[in-house]
Amino acid sequence: MANEKLILVVDDDPDLVESVSMKLESENYRVAKAYDGVEAWEKIKEEAPDLVILDVMMPRKNGYEVCDEIKKDPAYQQIIVLLLTAVADAVPNTTYTHMDGKKTLADDFIPKPIDLDKLMEIVKEQFE
Amino acid sequence: MSDFRAPIRLDGIKLSQELVLFNLRDLTWATSAISKFFGYLRDQQINLPFLTSLCKSGSVRVSCCAAREDDDRIRRHFDDVPEFEGKVTRVPAVGMLSLFPHKSRIEMVETALSAMAGADLAVHGFATSISALTLITDYRGMDRAVAAIKGDFDLPRGFVPMKPEFTLRQRTAHKPYP
Amino acid sequence: METIAVYWEAIVRIYGFTVSSGLALLDFRVDAEAWNAPGAAAAVAVCDPMRFEAAAGQCMDGTGYDRSILMSIDQVEPMRSFIEKRFGKHVAEGLAVTAPVDVISFQGPHFGDRFGIVDTTFQAVEKSGVPLLASGFSSSTVYLALPGGTANRVQRCLAEIFTVPKSP
């Protein structure tokens, strides 16, 4: 039976979107998908997800910008945001480090890659 | 039997920068040439965003793409290694067109290949990943390829193909295989 | 084009390994004439739904495609029938089937942008001593097709350098 919770998966890597979506659907969540920050924001307005799994490094609009827009908009700020961030020691020369992620208003920060079973645990914890 | 099927739905198309394609044939895994080639690429920090290999009756064929700026270094390597003589062909000015999701459906792959053939567009190779079907086509024909795909698939309203806006580089090699 | 990030890691982190067993590897050659044969495109419209694990094509000499498809064994005959309708009997008669086949797949962040992934993968397969039937590296995924019953041996060698982080 489908869960009533809707999760939006956002990443410019379609393979990761597919893997995460399949895992979520196997746990009976409903899933929507987007592949950059502009599309993510459109999907948020159309579908009002309960939780967004949001990549940071994306074309057109990055995940930090999308997260800030969600959390500063009274209509959407209740949406749970999980940021997928590059691990600091793996990506030292970038503005998109894990440490920078902690300055945003996201509800949690998950370094890539992550074991998908662990990601499901984090999602469940956020909903509890 | 009906000859009509609703267009297959895609979420998007990703386009690459300009690449060069190399086809290697009539090699074997037992020779050192192939492993030396990949080791050379690693030492030179050359990335391969696309590769397929097939081994038939002990003969290995490899088809791989590299960035245009790496073309000269790769060609020099092939020129320097006698085992590659007569076994390498090169196709310059190609690009990757990645359509997703394929949903593991054969008819999606066949529809894409038919769309390209119908528009008289070359497909120099292709491969699937978890979600995407990646076609290697002529770089200068990529806009026409997008139009051909749009004609035979159902894409989202306001669809714009994803083009690379930034690169990610690897600074140093991960540890050598133990 | 701007470079916005540089990777450095001593090991290669991935999301996990997926192993599928008991598959079939189909390979066949489609020459240019068969590709453009009347009815070739129409055959696609009436194709029965069939699923694949992975598919690839190589165009070595510009005269046709060498195609390979990994799929479940029970779909081999429907696929053979489709190939005959689409490309002609001579192509279907040239279809080679290798079974059983194991497939290992794995994906990692930005695999398509980072050098050394191919070299590391092939070194691991070589260390295992298992012959590699086919491989595909595209987007951020790697597929390796191996003789049936050998996937675990190869995965053990891959796991020495490709690791799955257990906790954030």
Side-chain angles (χ1 to χ4, degrees):
Chain A
M1 189 170 66
N3 197 308
E4 72 274 10
K5 300 293 187 191
L6 174 66
I7 298 177
L8 174 63
V9 182
V10 188
D11 200 301
D12 63 337
D13 177 354
D15 286 352
L16 183 61
V17 171
E18 187 71 12
S19 298
V20 172
S21 299
M22 283 168 53
K23 190 69 180 172
L24 289 167
E25 285 167 349
S26 75
E27 303 279 335
N28 292 323
Y29 291 106
R30 294 183 301 129
V31 176
K33 303 170 192 174
Y35 301 91
D36 66 33
V38 170
E39 193 182 356
W41 194 231
E42 287 168 4
K43 287 282 169 81
I44 287 164
K45 288 188 282 189
E46 274 171 28
E47 310 211 32
D50 300 288
L51 184 148
V52 180
I53 297 174
L54 182 58
D55 182 28
V56 172
M57 288 193 280
M58 292 187 293
R60 296 212 287 170
K61 186 184 283 193
N62 69 56
Y64 289 156
E65 293 173 283
V66 176
C67 181
D68 274 357
E69 284 174 5
I70 293 171
K71 291 302 184 182
K72 287 173 181 171
D73 189 327
Y76 303 110
Q77 62 192 192
Q78 76 287 352
I79 296 175
I80 300 166
V81 177
L82 305 182
L83 270 181
L84 285 176
T85 71
V87 178
D89 68 349
V91 196
N93 300 346
T94 177
T95 54
Y96 301 100
T97 62
H98 192 62
M99 296 308 295
D100 286 327
K102 297 200 172 200
K103 295 178 194 162
T104 73
L105 300 167
D107 295 277
D108 205 350
F109 316 90
I110 303 167
K112 285 167 111 169
I114 183 171
D115 180 84
L116 293 181
D117 290 329
K118 183 66 190 173
L119 178 60
M120 295 304 108
E121 283 176 25
I122 294 171
V123 167
K124 280 180 192 151
E125 280 165 14
Q126 287 291 337
F127 282 135
E128 280 164 5
Chain B
M1 197 181 332
S2 169
D3 62 358
F4 171 78
R5 173 191 283 130
I8 297 171
R9 171 86 183 174
L10 294 179
D11 288 344
I13 300 176
K14 265 180 112 163
L15 306 179
S16 74
Q17 285 199 290
E18 186 175 337
L19 304 170
V20 57
L21 173 73
F22 292 96
N23 290 318
L24 289 56
R25 62 188 306 167
D26 300 327
L27 296 163
T28 68
W29 289 119
T31 69
S32 58
I34 301 182
S35 57
K36 275 187 185 162
F37 170 53
F38 294 131
Y40 172 78
L41 296 178
R42 175 208 204 96
D43 292 342
Q44 294 288 310
Q45 300 192 3
I46 293 173
N47 174 48
L48 296 178
F50 179 93
L51 182 145
T52 58
S53 78
L54 183 65
C55 183
K56 285 183 73 164
S57 307
S59 176
V60 178
R61 292 197 298 263
V62 174
S63 188
C64 59
C65 288
R68 185 182 62 172
E69 54 262 32
D70 297 322
D71 186 11
D72 286 346
R73 284 188 290 163
I74 296 175
R75 281 199 283 168
R76 271 202 297 278
H77 176 78
F78 288 137
D79 289 342
D80 290 345
V81 178
E83 286 155 294
F84 284 121
E85 188 174 343
K87 296 180 181 176
V88 179
T89 54
R90 170 181 164 272
V91 184
V94 299
M96 296 190 299
L97 197 85
S98 298
L99 325 178
F100 55 90
H102 56 59
K103 297 285 190 196
S104 301
R105 294 168 65 180
I106 287 285
E107 59 269 31
M108 183 276 184
V109 175
E110 300 301 326
T111 301
L113 295 174
S114 279
M116 297 291 283
D120 211 21
L121 290 160
V123 174
H124 301 291
F126 65 89
T128 58
S129 61
I130 287 172
S131 175
L133 166 64
T134 295
L135 308 171
I136 309 297
T137 189
D138 294 324
Y139 187 69
R140 286 173 193 85
M142 282 175 63
D143 287 341
R144 278 201 302 130
V146 171
I149 296 298
K150 279 172 82 171
D152 280 18
F153 288 89
D154 178 24
L155 278 146
R157 184 169 39 96
F159 152 79
V160 172
M162 294 165 68
K163 294 185 181 179
E165 292 184 2
F166 51 80
T167 61
L168 192 114
R169 293 194 184 283
Q170 184 152 298
R171 186 171 71 187
T172 188
H174 32 82
K175 66 177 182 179
Y177 188 77
Chain C
M1 197 163 65
E2 179 198 2
T3 298
I4 65 157
V6 177
Y7 253 88
W8 175 91
E9 56 180 6
I11 53 172
V12 185
R13 296 185 182 93
I14 60 172
Y15 292 97
F17 291 106
T18 300
V19 178
S20 304
S21 301
L23 298 177
L25 172 63
L26 284 65
D27 69 81
F28 56 101
R29 179 168 175 81
V30 185
D31 55 35
E33 190 184 326
W35 193 252
N36 295 312
V44 179
V46 296
C47 167
D48 289 329
M50 282 182 285
R51 305 187 79 80
F52 62 87
E53 183 78 17
Q58 298 176 328
C59 185
M60 284 281 145
D61 55 13
T63 65
Y65 294 104
D66 293 293
R67 295 192 45 180
S68 46
I69 303 174
L70 281 159
M71 56 195 336
S72 68
I73 288 174
D74 62 5
Q75 294 203 98
V76 170
E77 289 314 308
M79 189 65 197
R80 191 192 303 273
S81 170
F82 169 71
I83 290 168
E84 182 171 335
K85 283 186 196 135
R86 174 138 157 83
F87 299 117
K89 197 167 180 187
H90 67 291
V91 175
E93 283 169 351
L95 177 74
V97 180
T98 305
V101 167
D102 288 352
V103 173
I104 297 176
S105 63
F106 55 99
Q107 63 172 145
H110 300 283
F111 260 19
D113 300 317
R114 296 160 60 189
F115 66 86
I117 302 294
V118 169
D119 182 47
T120 302
T121 302
F122 285 156
Q123 280 195 52
V125 175
E126 189 179 359
K127 183 185 179 187
S128 74
V130 174
L132 181 63
L133 300 174
S135 70
F137 296 71
S138 70
S139 265
S140 57
T141 306
V142 177
Y143 281 99
L144 304 171
L146 308 156
T150 63
N152 285 342
R153 195 168 10 141
V154 176
Q155 186 181 340
R156 276 197 295 275
C157 293
L158 289 166
E160 290 179 21
I161 189 106
F162 294 104
T163 63
V164 183
K166 279 299 170 191
S167 55

